[in-house]
């Protein structure tokens, strides 16, 4: 290894600002061309510094996954935030407090919850009705217009709630394994949102967002008004696996010191395990892929696989390269959102640390 | 739910001090009866407050999994610490600094690494030779006495390194699914350590530790001198699954607000996902089991399963109980070490927060 990256002593999440800015620029451009409001999901990077890179591209509306994250970004000057998580009644006081200062949108899929919220808030709160377009996680099913309209009516009747439109995360695109398959699944989800929108007698907001879908589609139709993907900012091996990006689109790698090697097999043990990566796996059961560092960043060829992890150990099988104790290997993460969450800070190629939302939980 | 635990607003790791102290007391007593030095692994709880509960039982030697964790506990008055992780050469300056103040032991399984360490340290450093007794992770294989003795000789020749003995984590007991199977596997690992010890011409330190093995065995033989299990402090559903503890031995639960329910199925969505639990699964693919809170803690019967998680969402199937948005469910974690790491703090049943080693990475 020519550059031994001597300032890296422990597992360190390295970020390539140029790639990340390129990923942001591409998605901003796509949303603008399609005429959609871009509300990127900040749950992937969770960093005020990276938020500024979005601001540089003209982004003003954002999406987050928790109340604490909304508070963090609100304190950094973001004043139009969607909390894309089913409203947690136990935090309604904090949501109401935020709504007293900035434009806050929440997600609701239950009449019971909407009724309770309407009694508890004292400030204008925008409410998206969450729609399940196939991910089978949360949201009212797209083919249940009666339930959707009942919830809509409840929101309209309420003093402080304002109907923001409908929202769907088509998370089931993560099960696809080709661009064509993603395209089909995403278009089907959009068709389902169009079905729902058609039930309303007026033009409504329709927010759609998932990285595979937003990466492969260019035409989102006329009904969709907002896009809110998140993972695209970094991408990761899962997105490569799905087929929607290339390894050279990945914006972060976890740099791990090699601590010991097996003498008989091309296997080395890294300082880097479940507490650094989390435990997401590709279909081949690996927890990440290996890249080599170079003096200016990392190489884009995959030269090994992170085959096994425990709490702090990672075992890597190398392919055509060698590494010994004291070296550092770059691991392309399977799921960059979770790895960023575990690491909670970033090191730029210039040696500057960027902060990450410190968990308010 | 009689007590609505109104102070729990977000995912919160609840700890039952009584159970945890009972788990500690049992293992301390077992080690004392067997005449072994007890060096509990603190990587599970990583908390100075919980460390005090060990101190109350007379514990003075501890084990940790990183240099940062050693520094954290050293600053809390622990002065005999084993860093049970293959020595990371990139942190040797920090290890040497620690060794200037307290009694530090490290693990080495490579002659190359031992040679480099010996050139870099200026203070007495105790070195365990790590032995692989079947876990196939790190360590020199037990049936390779030549390599073991070469490494031993290197340590003995070095000015500052002091041979501490041999160390093995029999992590492969985690693959067992009954007490009998654990007993067999653990005894086999101990036999292998005895084989290694027999090669030395003197009595040596032999440290053995894994929660399944240390829980089921009472007789560790004459050769083992030290025991270093860690997970037993909390136990978890994995240990129940392996068959070595009962649900009522588990010392921590992750309390998660219910945010929405499906109307057709007994499925509720929790605020609680991969960023709170990590992603460890039982053989049935579940990410945790459900218990109900009661006014004084939680019930010991399992009433549901955490079937699916994403970044912050958890989907639970309930069995014979109901829960609605605004309630809180207690989730028995699959792997308490990782869940504690994700949460990074504890709430006692009395409402006091206990701190967790703040990641120095």
């Amino acid at each position: 290894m020519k550059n031994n990256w001597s300032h890296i002593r422990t597992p360190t999440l390295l970020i390539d600002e140029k790639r990340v800015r390129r990923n942001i620029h591409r998605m901003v451009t796509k949303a603008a061309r399609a005429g959609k409001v871009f509300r990127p999901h900040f749950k992937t990077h969770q960093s005020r510094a990276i938020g500024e890179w979005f601001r540089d591209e003209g982004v003003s509306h954002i999406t987050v996954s928790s109340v604490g994250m909304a508070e963090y970004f609100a304190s950094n000057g973001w004043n139009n935030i969607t909390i894309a998580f089913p409203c947690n009644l136990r935090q309604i006081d904090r949501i109401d407090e935020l709504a007293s200062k900035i434009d806050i949108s929440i997600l609701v899929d239950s009449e019971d919850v909407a009724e309770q919220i309407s009694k508890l808030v004292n400030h204008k709160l925008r409410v998206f009705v969450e729609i399940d377009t196939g991910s089978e996680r949360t949201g009212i099913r797209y083919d249940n217009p009666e339930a959707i309209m009942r919830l809509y009516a409840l929101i309209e009747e309420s003093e402080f709630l304002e109907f923001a439109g409908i929202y769907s995360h088509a998370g089931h695109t993560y099960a696809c394994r080709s661009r064509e398959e993603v395209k089909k699944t995403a278009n089907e989800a959009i068709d389902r949102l169009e079905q729902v929108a058609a039930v309303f007698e007026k033009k409504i907001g329709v927010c759609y967002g998932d990285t595979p879908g937003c990466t492969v589609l260019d035409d989102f139709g006329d009904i969709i008004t907002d896009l809110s993907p998140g993972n695209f900012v970094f991408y990761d091996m899962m997105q490569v696996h799905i087929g929607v990006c290339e390894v050279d689109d990945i914006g972060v790698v976890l740099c791990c010191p090699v601590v010991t090697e097996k003498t008989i097999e091309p296997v080395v043990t890294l300082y880097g395990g479940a507490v650094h990566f989390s435990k997401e796996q590709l279909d081949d059961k690996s927890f990440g892929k290996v890249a080599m560092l170079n003096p200016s960043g990392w190489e884009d060829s995959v030269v090994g696989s992170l085959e096994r992890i425990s709490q702090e150990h990672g075992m890597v099988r190398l392919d055509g390269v060698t590494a010994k104790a004291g070296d550092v290997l770059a691991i392309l993460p399977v799921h960059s959102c979770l790895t960023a969450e575990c690491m909670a800070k970033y090191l730029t190629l210039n040696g500057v640390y960027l902060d990450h939302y410190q968990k308010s939980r």
Side-chain angles (χ1 to χ4, degrees), chain A:
Chain A
M1 204 167 292
K2 279 172 197 160
N3 181 329
N4 78 351
W5 291 81
S6 59
H7 54 303
I8 292 180
R9 309 295 189 93
T10 56
T12 301
L13 191 58
L14 198 63
I15 185 167
D16 184 331
E17 179 175 344
K18 213 168 140 189
R19 290 179 196 222
V20 173
R21 283 191 182 266
R22 188 180 62 193
N23 291 340
I24 296 169
H25 179 74
R26 279 185 192 153
M27 201 60 88
V28 166
T29 306
K30 173 178 288 200
R33 279 192 190 140
K36 311 302 182 196
V37 175
F38 189 43
R39 285 180 189 275
H41 207 314
F42 276 18
K43 74 170 181 174
T44 301
H45 63 80
Q46 299 185 47
S47 166
R48 89 183 93 190
I50 299 169
E52 295 308 311
W53 304 351
F54 283 85
R55 194 120 57 182
D56 291 345
E57 292 278 350
V59 171
S60 61
H61 293 43
I62 67 169
T63 305
V64 299
S65 57
S66 69
V67 177
M69 216 185 291
E71 291 164 343
Y72 167 86
F73 284 110
S75 75
N76 285 286
W78 294 94
N79 52 28
N80 191 311
I81 304 180
T82 301
I83 305 171
F85 189 82
C87 180
N88 175 16
L89 289 170
R90 289 182 174 239
Q91 291 182 290
I92 196 69
D93 51 343
R94 281 165 62 182
I95 295 171
D96 192 39
E97 170 71 19
L98 268 174
S100 74
K101 299 177 197 155
I102 64 167
D103 190 346
I104 289 287
S105 305
I106 60 168
L107 264 53
V108 171
D109 69 357
S110 146
E111 290 166 59
D112 174 44
V113 171
E115 262 176 24
Q116 292 194 62
I117 295 170
S118 71
K119 290 178 197 150
L120 294 166
V121 297
N122 297 301
H123 300 92
K124 195 193 86 172
L125 192 55
R126 285 164 47 85
V127 180
F128 279 106
V129 171
E130 188 177 4
I131 306 295
D132 175 3
T133 53
S135 73
E136 299 181 350
R137 189 173 66 178
T138 45
I140 303 176
R141 276 181 58 106
Y142 71 97
D143 56 2
N144 190 352
E146 295 79 13
I148 294 166
M149 294 313 282
R150 279 201 307 272
L151 180 51
Y152 166 66
L154 256 172
I155 294 164
E156 287 288 73
E157 278 163 23
S158 156
E159 184 180 355
F160 293 110
L161 305 187
E162 185 179 296
F163 179 64
I166 57 176
Y167 184 104
S168 187
H169 174 68
H172 53 306
T173 55
Y174 278 69
C176 299
R177 290 294 178 265
S178 73
R179 292 180 74 89
E180 281 315 303
E181 210 184 328
V182 170
K183 215 172 260 184
K184 194 173 153 240
T185 306
N187 275 325
E188 182 189 66
I190 291 171
D191 285 349
R192 290 171 173 179
L193 286 173
E194 289 176 353
Q195 274 182 54
V196 174
V199 181
F200 289 81
E201 284 163 5
K202 57 177 187 182
K203 170 91 179 160
I204 60 167
V206 183
C207 187
Y208 171 84
D210 63 279
T211 283
C214 290
T215 301
V216 303
L217 294 185
D218 289 307
D219 178 7
F220 298 87
D222 294 332
I223 297 300
I224 303 293
T225 58
D226 298 54
L227 297 176
S228 65
N231 177 278
F232 74 90
V233 63
F234 296 154
Y235 286 115
D236 51 32
M237 285 309 301
M238 182 56 78
Q239 300 293 334
V240 172
H241 208 55
I242 293 170
V244 302
C245 76
E246 302 296 328
V247 170
D248 66 6
D249 294 316
I250 297 177
V252 291
V253 288
L254 188 61
C255 296
C256 298
V258 175
V259 289
T260 190
E261 67 271 10
K262 295 270 173 194
T263 44
I264 33 171
E265 284 184 294
V267 171
V268 298
T269 301
L270 304 179
Y271 180 9
V275 301
H276 310 100
F277 288 102
S278 188
K279 291 199 84 166
E280 201 86 58
Q281 289 170 287
L282 297 177
D283 293 350
D284 70 1
K285 302 296 175 201
S286 70
F287 297 92
K289 295 293 175 186
V290 184
M292 299 302 272
L293 288 166
N294 64 33
S296 57
W298 63 89
E299 304 284 337
D300 291 316
S301 42
V302 168
V303 292
S305 199
L306 180 56
E307 291 190 341
R308 184 174 153 191
I309 57 178
S310 47
Q311 185 162 342
E312 318 235 9
H313 295 74
M315 293 181 68
V316 149
R317 184 173 299 274
L318 295 172
D319 182 13
V321 296
T322 57
K324 60 179 199 311
D327 288 345
V328 173
L329 293 175
I331 307 296
L332 298 154
V334 172
H335 190 166
S336 58
C337 308
L338 295 186
T339 301
E341 166 82 22
C342 285
M343 296 307 299
K345 68 185 172 199
Y346 305 90
L347 180 65
T348 69
L349 297 178
N350 303 325
V352 178
Y353 280 101
L354 308 182
D355 74 333
H356 184 281
Y357 157 55
Q358 283 302 329
K359 314 157 193 181
S360 66
R361 54 172 190 270

Coordinates of all heavy atoms in Angstrom, one line a residue, chain A residues 17 20 44 63 83 87 91 102 128 157 161-162 177 189 201 212 214 259-260 262-264 304 330:
Chain A
E17 N -16.2 13.4 -1.0 CA -17.1 14.6 -1.2 C -17.5 14.7 -2.7 O -18.6 15.0 -3.0 CB -16.4 15.9 -0.7 CG -17.3 17.1 -0.9 CD -16.7 18.3 -0.3 OE1 -15.8 18.2 0.6 OE2 -17.2 19.4 -0.6
V20 N -20.1 12.2 -3.7 CA -21.4 12.5 -3.0 C -22.0 13.7 -3.6 O -23.2 13.7 -3.9 CB -21.1 12.6 -1.5 CG1 -22.4 13.1 -0.8 CG2 -20.6 11.3 -0.8
T44 N -30.1 8.9 5.6 CA -28.9 8.2 5.2 C -27.7 8.9 5.8 O -26.9 8.3 6.5 CB -28.8 8.1 3.7 OG1 -30.0 7.4 3.2 CG2 -27.6 7.3 3.3
T63 N -36.6 15.5 4.2 CA -37.3 14.4 4.8 C -36.4 13.8 5.9 O -35.2 13.7 5.6 CB -37.7 13.4 3.8 OG1 -38.5 14.1 2.7 CG2 -38.6 12.3 4.3
I83 N -41.4 14.5 8.5 CA -40.9 13.3 9.4 C -41.6 12.1 8.8 O -42.8 11.9 9.1 CB -41.3 13.6 10.8 CG1 -40.7 14.9 11.3 CG2 -40.8 12.4 11.7 CD1 -41.2 15.3 12.7
C87 N -46.5 8.8 12.8 CA -46.5 9.7 14.0 C -46.5 9.0 15.3 O -47.4 8.2 15.6 CB -47.7 10.7 13.9 SG -47.6 11.9 15.2
Q91 N -44.4 11.5 21.2 CA -43.5 12.7 21.0 C -44.3 13.8 20.4 O -43.7 14.8 19.9 CB -42.4 12.3 20.0 CG -41.4 11.3 20.6 CD -40.3 11.0 19.5 OE1 -40.5 10.4 18.5 NE2 -39.1 11.6 19.8
I102 N -41.4 26.0 12.5 CA -41.1 25.7 11.0 C -42.3 24.9 10.4 O -43.2 24.4 11.1 CB -39.8 25.0 10.8 CG1 -39.8 23.6 11.4 CG2 -38.6 25.8 11.3 CD1 -38.6 22.7 11.0
F128 N -49.4 14.0 5.8 CA -49.5 13.2 4.6 C -50.2 11.9 5.0 O -49.9 11.3 6.1 CB -48.1 12.7 4.1 CG -47.4 13.7 3.3 CD1 -46.3 14.5 3.8 CD2 -47.7 13.9 1.9 CE1 -45.6 15.4 3.0 CE2 -47.0 14.8 1.1 CZ -46.0 15.5 1.6
E157 N -61.3 18.1 8.7 CA -62.2 18.6 9.8 C -61.4 19.2 10.9 O -62.0 20.0 11.7 CB -63.0 17.4 10.4 CG -64.3 17.1 9.6 CD -64.8 15.7 10.1 OE1 -64.5 15.2 11.2 OE2 -65.5 15.1 9.2
L161 N -54.8 20.5 11.7 CA -54.2 19.6 10.7 C -54.5 20.1 9.3 O -55.6 20.5 9.1 CB -54.7 18.2 10.9 CG -54.5 17.5 12.3 CD1 -54.8 16.1 12.3 CD2 -53.0 17.7 12.8
E162 N -53.5 20.0 8.5 CA -53.7 20.4 7.1 C -53.3 19.3 6.2 O -52.2 18.7 6.4 CB -52.8 21.7 6.8 CG -52.9 22.3 5.5 CD -52.0 23.5 5.3 OE1 -52.2 24.5 6.0 OE2 -51.1 23.4 4.4
R177 N -33.7 -7.2 -8.6 CA -32.3 -7.5 -8.9 C -31.9 -7.1 -10.3 O -31.0 -7.7 -10.8 CB -32.1 -9.0 -8.6 CG -32.1 -9.4 -7.1 CD -30.9 -8.8 -6.3 NE -31.0 -9.1 -4.9 CZ -31.5 -8.3 -4.0 NH1 -32.1 -7.2 -4.3 NH2 -31.5 -8.7 -2.7
A189 N -46.0 0.9 -8.5 CA -46.3 1.7 -7.3 C -46.8 3.1 -7.6 O -47.8 3.6 -7.0 CB -45.0 1.9 -6.4
E201 N -61.1 14.9 -5.5 CA -61.7 15.7 -6.5 C -60.9 16.9 -6.9 O -61.3 17.7 -7.7 CB -63.1 16.2 -6.0 CG -64.1 15.0 -6.1 CD -65.4 15.3 -5.3 OE1 -65.5 16.4 -4.7 OE2 -66.2 14.4 -5.2
P212 N -33.9 3.0 -5.4 CA -33.9 2.2 -6.7 C -34.8 2.9 -7.7 O -34.4 3.1 -8.9 CB -34.4 0.8 -6.3 CG -33.9 0.7 -4.8 CD -34.2 2.1 -4.3
C214 N -36.2 5.9 -7.9 CA -35.8 7.3 -8.3 C -34.6 7.3 -9.2 O -34.3 8.2 -10.0 CB -35.7 8.2 -7.1 SG -37.2 8.6 -6.3
V259 N -5.7 -6.7 11.5 CA -5.1 -7.0 12.7 C -4.3 -8.3 12.7 O -3.4 -8.5 13.5 CB -6.0 -6.9 13.9 CG1 -6.4 -5.5 14.2 CG2 -7.3 -7.7 13.7
T260 N -4.8 -9.3 11.9 CA -4.1 -10.5 11.8 C -4.4 -11.3 10.5 O -5.5 -11.0 9.9 CB -4.3 -11.4 13.1 OG1 -3.4 -12.5 13.1 CG2 -5.7 -11.9 13.2
K262 N -4.4 -15.2 8.4 CA -4.3 -16.6 8.4 C -3.1 -16.9 7.5 O -3.0 -16.3 6.4 CB -5.5 -17.3 7.9 CG -6.8 -17.1 8.8 CD -6.9 -18.2 9.9 CE -8.0 -17.8 10.8 NZ -8.0 -18.6 12.0
T263 N -2.3 -17.9 7.9 CA -1.2 -18.2 7.0 C -1.5 -19.1 5.9 O -0.9 -19.1 4.8 CB 0.0 -18.8 7.9 OG1 -0.6 -19.8 8.7 CG2 0.7 -17.8 8.7
I264 N -2.5 -19.9 6.1 CA -2.8 -20.9 5.0 C -3.8 -20.4 4.0 O -3.8 -20.8 2.8 CB -3.3 -22.2 5.6 CG1 -4.1 -22.0 6.9 CG2 -2.2 -23.2 5.8 CD1 -4.8 -23.2 7.4
G304 N -12.3 -8.5 -2.8 CA -12.5 -9.4 -1.7 C -13.8 -9.2 -1.1 O -14.6 -8.3 -1.5
A330 N -10.3 -0.8 2.7 CA -11.6 -0.1 2.6 C -12.7 -1.1 2.3 O -12.6 -1.9 1.4 CB -11.5 0.9 1.4

